[in-house]
């Protein structure tokens, strides 16, 4: 009910709370909000909707819901007009949802491509690091070999998240 409040603060706060509490029943409404044009809600609201959806997406029980989530998050990630407050959680969610199928491989390519955007590069690289797919590993390794700037971002990321990033990098070698 609070997601439909007239108050921007109430909508943003309730979206964040629903994600943190893993209220799966909120998923359809959040998905609907994220599919609406950017002008429908404030940047802060859209960021809260994306954050909440990112928290819920890995727990979606039905494969078709997970597939829809991958499509929505990939579209948000690739929209350069979208705020980084929305694109970062979208990148993070993709890393948690990727499977070794055609949509998963397309999402890996999107993460690779969007890792060139300084506003969200860390989120994209962290998602590639966390993804348990050969395509993600290969894509990240190619980025690291080809791009000095990406290597610098990856090193900063490893300093911030030493356990996750370093452990996964060691497991790949």
């Amino acid at each position: 009910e609070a997601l439909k409040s007239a108050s921007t603060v109430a909508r943003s706060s309730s979206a964040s709370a629903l994600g943190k509490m893993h209220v799966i029943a909120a998923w359809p409404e959040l998905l609907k909000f994220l599919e609406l044009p950017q002008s429908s809600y404030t940047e802060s609201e859209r960021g809260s909707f994306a954050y909440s959806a990112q928290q819920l997406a890995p727990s979606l029980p039905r494969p078709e819901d997970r597939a829809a989530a991958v499509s929505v998050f990939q579209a948000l990630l690739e929209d350069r007009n979208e705020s980084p407050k929305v694109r970062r959680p979208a990148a993070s969610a993709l890393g948690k949802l990727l499977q070794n199928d055609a949509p998963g491989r397309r999402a890996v390519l999107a993460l690779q491509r969007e890792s060139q955007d300084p506003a969200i590069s860390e989120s994209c690289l962290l998602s590639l690091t966390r993804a348990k797919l050969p395509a993600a590993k290969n894509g990240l390794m190619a980025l690291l070999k080809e791009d000095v700037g990406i290597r610098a971002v990856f090193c900063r990321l490893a300093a911030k998240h030493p356990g996750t990033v370093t452990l996964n990098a060691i497991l790949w070698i």
Side-chain angles (χ1 to χ4, degrees), residues 13-59:
S13 298
S14 63
S16 293
L18 289 167
K20 288 177 184 174
M21 295 180 345
H22 296 280
V23 179
I24 295 294
W27 174 256
E29 199 68 29
L30 291 167
L31 189 64
K32 203 178 332 176
F33 290 146
L34 290 171
E35 290 175 325
L36 290 172
Q38 293 172 24
S39 59
S40 302
Y41 294 98
T42 66
E43 179 181 327
S44 177
E45 286 174 300
R46 287 185 64 76
S48 293
F49 298 153
Y51 171 78
S52 183
Q54 171 222 339
Q55 298 295 310
L56 298 177
S59 301

Coordinates of all heavy atoms in Angstrom, one line a residue, residues 13-59:
S13 N 11.0 4.8 0.8 CA 11.3 4.1 2.0 C 10.6 2.7 2.0 O 11.2 1.7 2.5 CB 10.8 4.9 3.2 OG 11.5 6.1 3.3
S14 N 9.4 2.6 1.6 CA 8.7 1.3 1.6 C 9.3 0.4 0.6 O 9.5 -0.8 0.9 CB 7.2 1.5 1.4 OG 7.0 2.0 0.1
A15 N 9.7 0.9 -0.5 CA 10.4 0.0 -1.5 C 11.7 -0.6 -0.9 O 11.9 -1.8 -1.0 CB 10.7 0.7 -2.8
S16 N 12.5 0.3 -0.3 CA 13.7 -0.2 0.3 C 13.5 -1.2 1.4 O 14.1 -2.3 1.5 CB 14.5 1.0 0.9 OG 15.0 1.8 -0.1
A17 N 12.5 -1.0 2.2 CA 12.1 -1.9 3.3 C 11.7 -3.2 2.8 O 12.1 -4.3 3.3 CB 11.1 -1.2 4.2
L18 N 10.8 -3.2 1.8 CA 10.3 -4.5 1.2 C 11.5 -5.3 0.7 O 11.5 -6.5 0.8 CB 9.3 -4.2 0.1 CG 8.0 -3.6 0.6 CD1 7.2 -3.1 -0.6 CD2 7.2 -4.7 1.4
G19 N 12.5 -4.7 0.1 CA 13.6 -5.4 -0.4 C 14.5 -6.0 0.7 O 14.9 -7.2 0.7
K20 N 14.7 -5.2 1.7 CA 15.5 -5.7 2.8 C 14.8 -6.8 3.6 O 15.5 -7.7 4.1 CB 15.8 -4.5 3.8 CG 16.8 -3.5 3.2 CD 17.0 -2.3 4.1 CE 17.9 -1.3 3.5 NZ 18.0 -0.1 4.3
M21 N 13.5 -6.8 3.6 CA 12.8 -7.8 4.3 C 12.5 -9.0 3.4 O 11.8 -10.0 3.8 CB 11.5 -7.3 4.9 CG 11.7 -6.2 6.0 SD 10.3 -5.4 6.7 CE 8.9 -5.8 5.7
H22 N 12.9 -8.9 2.1 CA 12.7 -10.0 1.1 C 11.2 -10.4 1.0 O 10.8 -11.5 1.0 CB 13.5 -11.2 1.5 CG 15.0 -10.9 1.4 ND1 15.7 -10.8 0.2 CD2 15.9 -10.6 2.3 CE1 16.9 -10.5 0.4 NE2 17.1 -10.4 1.7
V23 N 10.4 -9.4 0.8 CA 8.9 -9.6 0.6 C 8.7 -9.8 -0.9 O 8.5 -8.9 -1.7 CB 8.1 -8.3 1.1 CG1 6.6 -8.6 0.9 CG2 8.4 -8.1 2.6
I24 N 8.7 -11.1 -1.2 CA 8.6 -11.5 -2.6 C 7.3 -11.0 -3.3 O 7.2 -10.7 -4.5 CB 8.7 -13.0 -2.8 CG1 10.1 -13.5 -2.4 CG2 8.4 -13.5 -4.2 CD1 11.2 -13.0 -3.3
A25 N 6.2 -10.9 -2.5 CA 4.9 -10.5 -3.0 C 5.0 -9.1 -3.6 O 4.2 -8.7 -4.4 CB 3.9 -10.5 -1.8
A26 N 6.0 -8.3 -3.2 CA 6.2 -6.9 -3.8 C 6.8 -6.9 -5.2 O 6.8 -5.9 -5.9 CB 7.1 -6.1 -2.9
W27 N 7.3 -8.1 -5.6 CA 8.0 -8.2 -6.9 C 7.2 -7.6 -8.1 O 7.7 -6.8 -8.9 CB 8.5 -9.6 -7.2 CG 9.1 -9.7 -8.5 CD1 8.5 -10.3 -9.6 CD2 10.3 -9.2 -9.0 NE1 9.4 -10.2 -10.7 CE2 10.5 -9.5 -10.4 CE3 11.4 -8.5 -8.4 CZ2 11.6 -9.1 -11.1 CZ3 12.5 -8.1 -9.1 CH2 12.6 -8.5 -10.5
P28 N 5.9 -8.1 -8.3 CA 5.2 -7.6 -9.5 C 5.0 -6.1 -9.6 O 5.2 -5.5 -10.6 CB 3.9 -8.3 -9.4 CG 4.1 -9.5 -8.5 CD 5.2 -9.1 -7.6
E29 N 4.8 -5.5 -8.4 CA 4.6 -4.1 -8.3 C 5.9 -3.3 -8.7 O 5.9 -2.4 -9.4 CB 4.1 -3.7 -7.0 CG 3.4 -2.3 -6.9 CD 2.1 -2.2 -7.7 OE1 1.4 -3.3 -7.9 OE2 1.8 -1.2 -8.2
L30 N 7.0 -3.8 -8.1 CA 8.3 -3.2 -8.3 C 8.7 -3.3 -9.8 O 9.2 -2.4 -10.4 CB 9.4 -3.8 -7.5 CG 9.3 -3.5 -6.0 CD1 10.2 -4.5 -5.2 CD2 9.6 -2.1 -5.7
L31 N 8.5 -4.5 -10.4 CA 8.8 -4.7 -11.8 C 8.0 -3.7 -12.6 O 8.5 -3.1 -13.6 CB 8.4 -6.1 -12.2 CG 8.9 -6.6 -13.5 CD1 10.4 -6.6 -13.7 CD2 8.3 -8.0 -13.8
K32 N 6.7 -3.5 -12.3 CA 5.8 -2.6 -13.0 C 6.4 -1.2 -12.9 O 6.5 -0.4 -13.9 CB 4.4 -2.6 -12.4 CG 3.4 -2.2 -13.4 CD 2.0 -2.3 -12.8 CE 1.7 -3.3 -11.7 NZ 0.4 -3.3 -11.1
F33 N 6.8 -0.7 -11.8 CA 7.4 0.6 -11.6 C 8.7 0.8 -12.4 O 8.9 1.8 -13.0 CB 7.8 0.9 -10.1 CG 6.6 1.0 -9.2 CD1 6.6 0.6 -7.9 CD2 5.4 1.6 -9.6 CE1 5.6 0.7 -7.0 CE2 4.3 1.7 -8.8 CZ 4.4 1.3 -7.5
L34 N 9.5 -0.2 -12.5 CA 10.8 -0.1 -13.2 C 10.6 -0.1 -14.7 O 11.4 0.3 -15.5 CB 11.7 -1.3 -12.8 CG 12.3 -1.1 -11.4 CD1 13.0 -2.4 -11.0 CD2 13.2 0.1 -11.3
E35 N 9.5 -0.7 -15.2 CA 9.2 -0.7 -16.6 C 8.5 0.6 -17.1 O 8.5 0.8 -18.3 CB 8.3 -1.9 -16.9 CG 9.0 -3.3 -16.8 CD 8.1 -4.5 -17.0 OE1 6.9 -4.4 -16.6 OE2 8.6 -5.5 -17.5
L36 N 8.1 1.4 -16.2 CA 7.5 2.7 -16.6 C 8.6 3.7 -17.0 O 9.7 3.5 -16.6 CB 6.7 3.3 -15.4 CG 5.4 2.6 -15.0 CD1 4.9 3.1 -13.7 CD2 4.4 2.7 -16.1
P37 N 8.2 4.7 -17.8 CA 9.2 5.7 -18.2 C 9.9 6.3 -17.0 O 9.2 6.5 -15.9 CB 8.4 6.7 -19.0 CG 7.1 6.0 -19.4 CD 6.9 4.9 -18.3
Q38 N 11.1 6.8 -17.2 CA 11.9 7.4 -16.1 C 11.1 8.6 -15.5 O 11.2 8.9 -14.3 CB 13.2 7.9 -16.6 CG 14.2 6.8 -17.0 CD 15.4 7.3 -17.6 OE1 15.8 8.5 -17.4 NE2 16.1 6.5 -18.4
S39 N 10.4 9.3 -16.3 CA 9.8 10.5 -15.9 C 8.6 10.3 -14.9 O 8.1 11.2 -14.3 CB 9.3 11.3 -17.1 OG 8.3 10.5 -17.8
S40 N 8.2 9.0 -14.8 CA 7.1 8.7 -13.9 C 7.4 8.8 -12.4 O 6.5 9.0 -11.6 CB 6.6 7.2 -14.2 OG 6.3 7.0 -15.5
Y41 N 8.7 8.7 -12.1 CA 9.1 8.7 -10.7 C 10.4 9.5 -10.5 O 11.1 9.6 -11.5 CB 9.3 7.3 -10.1 CG 8.0 6.5 -10.0 CD1 7.6 5.6 -11.0 CD2 7.1 6.8 -9.0 CE1 6.4 5.0 -11.0 CE2 5.9 6.1 -8.9 CZ 5.6 5.2 -9.9 OH 4.4 4.5 -9.9
T42 N 10.7 9.9 -9.3 CA 12.0 10.7 -9.1 C 13.1 9.7 -9.2 O 13.0 8.5 -9.1 CB 12.0 11.3 -7.7 OG1 12.0 10.3 -6.7 CG2 10.8 12.3 -7.5
E43 N 14.3 10.2 -9.4 CA 15.6 9.4 -9.4 C 15.7 8.6 -8.1 O 16.1 7.4 -8.2 CB 16.8 10.3 -9.6 CG 18.1 9.6 -9.6 CD 19.2 10.6 -9.8 OE1 19.1 11.6 -10.5 OE2 20.3 10.3 -9.3
S44 N 15.4 9.2 -7.0 CA 15.5 8.5 -5.7 C 14.5 7.4 -5.6 O 14.9 6.3 -5.2 CB 15.2 9.5 -4.6 OG 15.3 8.9 -3.3
E45 N 13.3 7.6 -6.1 CA 12.3 6.5 -6.1 C 12.7 5.3 -7.0 O 12.7 4.2 -6.6 CB 10.9 7.0 -6.6 CG 10.2 7.9 -5.6 CD 9.0 8.5 -6.2 OE1 9.1 9.2 -7.2 OE2 7.9 8.2 -5.7
R46 N 13.2 5.7 -8.2 CA 13.6 4.6 -9.1 C 14.8 3.9 -8.6 O 14.9 2.7 -8.7 CB 13.9 5.2 -10.5 CG 12.6 5.6 -11.3 CD 12.9 6.1 -12.7 NE 13.4 5.0 -13.5 CZ 12.8 4.0 -14.1 NH1 11.5 3.9 -13.8 NH2 13.4 3.2 -14.9
G47 N 15.7 4.6 -7.9 CA 16.8 3.9 -7.3 C 16.3 3.0 -6.2 O 16.9 1.8 -6.0
S48 N 15.4 3.4 -5.4 CA 14.8 2.5 -4.3 C 14.1 1.3 -4.9 O 14.2 0.2 -4.4 CB 13.9 3.3 -3.4 OG 14.6 4.3 -2.7
F49 N 13.4 1.5 -6.0 CA 12.7 0.4 -6.6 C 13.7 -0.6 -7.2 O 13.5 -1.8 -7.0 CB 11.8 0.9 -7.8 CG 10.7 1.8 -7.4 CD1 10.2 2.7 -8.3 CD2 10.1 1.8 -6.2 CE1 9.2 3.6 -8.0 CE2 9.1 2.7 -5.8 CZ 8.6 3.6 -6.7
A50 N 14.8 -0.1 -7.8 CA 15.8 -1.0 -8.4 C 16.5 -1.7 -7.3 O 16.8 -2.9 -7.4 CB 16.8 -0.2 -9.2
Y51 N 16.9 -1.0 -6.2 CA 17.5 -1.7 -5.1 C 16.7 -2.8 -4.5 O 17.2 -3.9 -4.2 CB 17.9 -0.6 -4.0 CG 18.4 -1.3 -2.7 CD1 19.7 -1.7 -2.6 CD2 17.6 -1.5 -1.6 CE1 20.2 -2.3 -1.5 CE2 18.0 -2.1 -0.5 CZ 19.3 -2.5 -0.4 OH 19.8 -3.1 0.7
S52 N 15.4 -2.5 -4.3 CA 14.5 -3.5 -3.7 C 14.4 -4.7 -4.7 O 14.4 -5.9 -4.2 CB 13.1 -2.9 -3.5 OG 12.3 -3.8 -2.8
A53 N 14.2 -4.4 -5.9 CA 14.1 -5.5 -6.9 C 15.3 -6.3 -7.0 O 15.3 -7.6 -7.1 CB 13.8 -4.9 -8.3
Q54 N 16.5 -5.7 -6.8 CA 17.8 -6.4 -6.8 C 17.8 -7.4 -5.6 O 18.3 -8.5 -5.7 CB 18.9 -5.4 -6.7 CG 20.3 -6.0 -6.5 CD 21.1 -5.3 -5.5 OE1 20.9 -4.1 -5.2 NE2 22.1 -5.9 -4.9
Q55 N 17.3 -6.9 -4.5 CA 17.3 -7.8 -3.3 C 16.4 -9.0 -3.5 O 16.6 -10.1 -3.0 CB 16.8 -7.0 -2.1 CG 17.7 -5.8 -1.7 CD 19.1 -6.3 -1.3 OE1 19.2 -7.2 -0.4 NE2 20.1 -5.7 -1.9
L56 N 15.3 -8.8 -4.1 CA 14.3 -9.8 -4.3 C 14.5 -10.8 -5.4 O 14.2 -12.0 -5.3 CB 12.9 -9.2 -4.5 CG 12.3 -8.3 -3.4 CD1 11.0 -7.7 -3.9 CD2 12.2 -9.1 -2.1
A57 N 15.1 -10.3 -6.5 CA 15.2 -11.1 -7.7 C 15.9 -12.5 -7.5 O 15.4 -13.5 -8.1 CB 16.0 -10.3 -8.8
P58 N 17.0 -12.6 -6.8 CA 17.6 -14.0 -6.6 C 16.6 -15.0 -5.9 O 16.8 -16.2 -6.1 CB 18.8 -13.7 -5.8 CG 19.1 -12.3 -6.0 CD 17.8 -11.6 -6.2
S59 N 15.6 -14.5 -5.2 CA 14.7 -15.4 -4.5 C 13.4 -15.7 -5.3 O 12.6 -16.4 -4.8 CB 14.3 -14.8 -3.2 OG 15.5 -14.6 -2.4

